[in-house]
């Protein structure tokens, strides 16, 4: 059983428990459920940018930033130029929670928020809407084509944008894109968390449809890598550990963006 298999098996148990404790109707009645959403797609179309991630730990790296304040970091990401913010809500494997997303929304009402989790059920889309997300993540590696189509269609009905994540051409070829807004190439293989380069993004870009915003995820740590990816058509660059492992993630983001801008000018 791969790490991804373990995560998905646990996620199905979590969802069943959450649905029993908080029915969908209760989520629909929450204040955040009817909030107008923000468009990450539009932000990236207007100007390519960094999607900064709030991430407490990972299966491959363990604890990344013990005691991290989601309110401080997500607020700082916003004022320091993040095009969007990704918030991990998986608890067992990534140390996140519902509370992290809710607090992130309160701390930063003006930047699009991605609920980053392993979506396997329509119920999770209602959670995302109620907790303050603008975008949800669908991971092709753990979903069938039918599930991708159903979940992406439902997300759009709820006013949420859809980021579909792939890692290779096989996942792209079998994924229906009808209701997706953004395609993300995860440079790290979630089945083994082994890769540490952006080759997946560079190899796949020529196969990605022109009418979808393209982002590259993971294994990005240098301004020159962002410049290389932007040159071939990527509009967003999802980065987590690179900022979260520092004492001041917001300041690290600001400095990184400045370096990217300086490279453009030179």
């Amino acid at each position: 059983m791969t790490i991804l298999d373990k995560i998905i098996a646990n996620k199905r148990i979590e969802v069943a428990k959450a649905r029993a404790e908080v029915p969908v109707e209760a989520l629909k009645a929450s204040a955040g459920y009817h909030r107008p959403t923000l468009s990450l797609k539009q932000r990236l179309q207007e100007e390519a940018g960094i999607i900064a991630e709030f991430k407490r730990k990972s299966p491959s790296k363990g604890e990344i930033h013990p005691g991290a304040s989601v309110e401080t970091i997500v607020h700082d990401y916003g004022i320091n130029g993040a095009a969007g913010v990704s918030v991990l809500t998986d608890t067992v494997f990534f140390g996140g929670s519902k509370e992290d997303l809710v607090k992130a929304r309160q701390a930063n009402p003006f930047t699009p928020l991605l609920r980053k989790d392993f979506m396997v059920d329509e119920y999770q889309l209602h959670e995302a809407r109620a907790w303050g997300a603008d975008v949800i993540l669908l991971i092709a590696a753990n979903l069938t084509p039918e599930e991708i189509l159903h979940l992406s269609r439902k997300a759009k009905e709820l006013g949420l944008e859809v980021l579909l994540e792939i890692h290779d051409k096989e996942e792209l070829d079998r994924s229906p894109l009808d209701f997706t807004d953004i395609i993300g190439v995860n440079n790290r293989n979630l089945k083994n968390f082994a890769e540490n380069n952006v080759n997946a993004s560079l190899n796949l870009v020529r196969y990605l449809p022109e009418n979808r915003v393209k982002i590259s995820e993971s294994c990005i740590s240098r301004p020159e890598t962002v410049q290389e990816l932007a040159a071939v058509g990527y509009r967003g660059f999802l980065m987590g550990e690179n900022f979260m492992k520092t004492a001041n993630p917001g300041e690290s983001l600001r400095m990184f963006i400045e370096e990217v801008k300086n490279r453009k000018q030179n």
Side-chain angles (χ1 to χ4, degrees), residues 19-262:
R19 181 186 281 108
E21 293 176 351
V22 184
V24 169
E25 291 307 315
L27 293 172
K28 290 181 177 180
S30 65
Y33 194 88
H34 303 284
R35 176 190 63 85
T37 53
L38 304 170
S39 176
L40 177 60
K41 173 184 175 181
Q42 183 177 342
R43 294 268 179 111
L44 295 175
Q45 285 175 326
E46 292 171 353
E47 183 178 4
I50 306 297
I51 303 167
E53 191 158 83
F54 181 84
K55 183 177 185 180
R56 296 184 183 277
K57 69 176 186 179
S58 77
S60 60
K61 299 292 180 65
E63 292 284 343
I64 298 170
H65 193 138
S69 166
V70 64
E71 297 101 319
T72 299
I73 292 173
V74 171
H75 173 267
D76 289 351
Y77 278 162
I79 64 175
N80 283 302
V85 174
S86 169
V87 180
L88 271 294
T89 57
D90 176 82
T91 302
V92 174
F93 296 91
F94 290 86
S97 66
K98 162 194 173 180
E99 288 72 25
D100 280 345
L101 184 53
V102 171
K103 290 178 180 178
R105 179 80 285 160
Q106 293 169 346
N108 188 341
F110 306 114
T111 303
L113 293 187
L114 165 69
R115 180 190 181 185
K116 193 173 185 187
D117 209 319
F118 298 82
M119 311 302 260
V120 296
D121 192 282
E122 186 178 306
Y123 178 83
Q124 294 167 287
L125 307 180
H126 293 285
E127 286 182 327
R129 193 70 174 89
W131 298 349
D134 303 293
V135 190
I136 57 98
L137 174 71
L138 298 181
I139 302 174
N142 71 259
L143 296 168
T144 66
E146 293 75 21
E147 288 171 326
I148 292 171
L149 185 62
H150 171 71
L151 292 173
S152 59
R153 178 191 287 118
K154 186 61 182 181
K156 298 302 290 182
E157 290 176 4
L158 296 180
L160 297 165
E161 290 188 339
V162 177
L163 164 58
L164 176 67
E165 177 181 293
I166 61 168
H167 176 67
D168 55 37
K169 191 169 184 297
E170 183 275 329
E171 291 179 0
L172 174 64
D173 289 343
R174 68 175 177 80
S175 296
L177 306 178
D178 310 55
F179 301 99
T180 62
D181 300 281
I182 303 167
I183 297 179
V185 178
N186 193 339
N187 298 300
R188 184 168 287 123
N189 187 336
L190 291 179
K191 295 176 182 177
N192 55 32
F193 286 82
E195 285 84 346
N196 288 295
N197 55 59
V198 295
N199 288 346
S201 289
L202 295 174
N203 293 336
L204 284 174
V205 68
R206 65 184 181 275
Y207 301 113
L208 302 180
E210 289 296 324
N211 62 348
R212 295 294 187 277
V213 172
K214 296 178 277 290
I215 72 170
S216 180
E217 309 172 27
S218 302
C219 307
I220 303 169
S221 60
R222 301 184 304 161
E224 49 266 46
T225 303
V226 168
Q227 189 175 39
E228 179 182 19
L229 292 167
V232 297
Y234 286 96
R235 302 293 298 172
F237 315 93
L238 197 154
M239 302 173 60
E241 294 168 11
N242 193 63
F243 305 132
M244 287 298 298
K245 67 185 180 183
T246 68
N248 190 330
E251 177 63 12
S252 298
L253 169 66
R254 186 193 66 77
M255 294 172 62
F256 188 89
I257 291 175
E258 282 298 316
E259 290 184 55
V260 172
K261 289 179 178 178
N262 289 338

